[in-house]
Amino acid sequence: MTDQRQTPDHLLRRLLGPAGPELGCEECFELLDVYVEAELAGADAHGRIPGMRAHLEGCPACAEEHDSLRELLSAAESTPLPA
Amino acid sequence: MSNPVGSVKRGPHDPTRAHPGSRQAEAEAWLQSLRSGGREREDAAARLDGLLVKAARFELLRRRAQWNRSGESLDDLAVQSADSALSALLSKLDHYRFESRFTTWAYKFAILEAAQLARRRAWQERELPIGPEEWDRLAESTPELAAGVAVRDQLRRVMRAIQTQLSAHQREVLTELVLAEVPIDVLAERLNTTRGALYKTLHDARRKLRDVVGSEADD
Ligand SMILES: [Zn+2]
């Protein structure tokens, strides 16, 4: 565990998870591409796909994949993907 | 990202703002080719595989620390990830709803497969860190971290509730995922279940814990 994650506040948040409705991992994957494109376009991704933001708060693996897809698209916008 | 279909022009730079008509045409061209037969399908699958390999490499480079001690090469892992992604994607073509670029939809399969592969490599030699005999110890020791009184009290109540309110399975899943930080796909593989099922268990366990600590923890 990293120092950041060890803080009691953070641990408490991770134990309790996000309050309110959230998607599951399968639904998250199903909608991830639409969500990330909406984010990058500056659209209301959260309004369009309710429950996604909460799931990304509660699920580190999905959050990592979200971040990666976002980074990949951002990188591909500026330069072609490396061969 | 090269334009996968020669006759369709991409919008400049920003794929999310490409002309909707061209995105639609691009996606339809991909689907038509991938659903056709013979040479056309092979060519489309090969072009798509090339894109998936690049996306998998991108993901694996971000996660080098997780797999580089396995002795495998980046290229081998990228090809493995892309192969898995391609077969997953081809079995789910009907799930594509034209709500994103086809390539964005495809990339997420490569990222998922590469991320899972890297996380599994990172854990392949490791036992699950916490057996049932250690749950009590962890639950007891963790609140000793320096913290404000309010947070410490809340944490104690949560730790107590983990022992008294959760089922054995909920306690195991919560402990491994949250306290021991075992990646959810790795745990799913070890417990012979799915990521979705594990998250549902985690979600139910968390809801019980939130009920215990009440609305003050809902921030
Ligand atoms: Zn998830």
Side-chain angles (χ1 to χ4, degrees), chain B residues 190-209:
Chain B
R190 302 282 175 100
L191 299 182
N192 204 17
T193 181
T194 64
R195 180 165 164 169
L198 274 190
Y199 197 81
K200 171 81 169 64
T201 301
L202 177 68
H203 181 263
D204 293 346
R206 282 167 156 174
R207 196 173 46 204
K208 275 194 190 174
L209 297 179

Side-chain angles (χ1 to χ4, degrees), chain A residues 24-26 28 55 59 61-63, chain B residues 184 195 199:
Chain A
C25 289
E26 276 103 357
C28 173
H55 184 70
C59 182
C62 286
Chain B
I184 193 166
R195 180 165 164 169
Y199 197 81

Side-chain angles (χ1 to χ4, degrees), chain A residues 1 5-6 8-9 11-12 14-16 18 22 29-30 33 37 41 58 62 64-65 68 71 77, chain B residues 15 23 59 62-63 95 100-101 104 108 119 142 146 151 154 178-179 181 195 199 203 206 210 217:
Chain A
M1 288 189 245
R5 287 172 163 184
Q6 279 281 30
D9 278 335
L11 177 59
L12 192 57
R14 288 173 53 236
L15 283 168
L16 296 177
E22 66 172 306
F29 182 74
E30 195 69 25
D33 48 320
E37 281 197 357
C62 286
E64 287 174 12
E65 288 146 19
S68 294
E71 287 287 313
E77 270 176 41
Chain B
R23 288 173 50 151
E59 178 64 2
R62 284 165 64 85
R63 298 174 171 277
H95 290 227
S100 65
R101 275 178 73 96
T104 304
K108 73 178 177 181
R119 286 193 287 253
T142 311
V151 170
Q154 220 174 32
V178 177
L179 297 181
E181 299 186 272
R195 180 165 164 169
Y199 197 81
H203 181 263
R206 282 167 156 174
R210 284 200 301 275

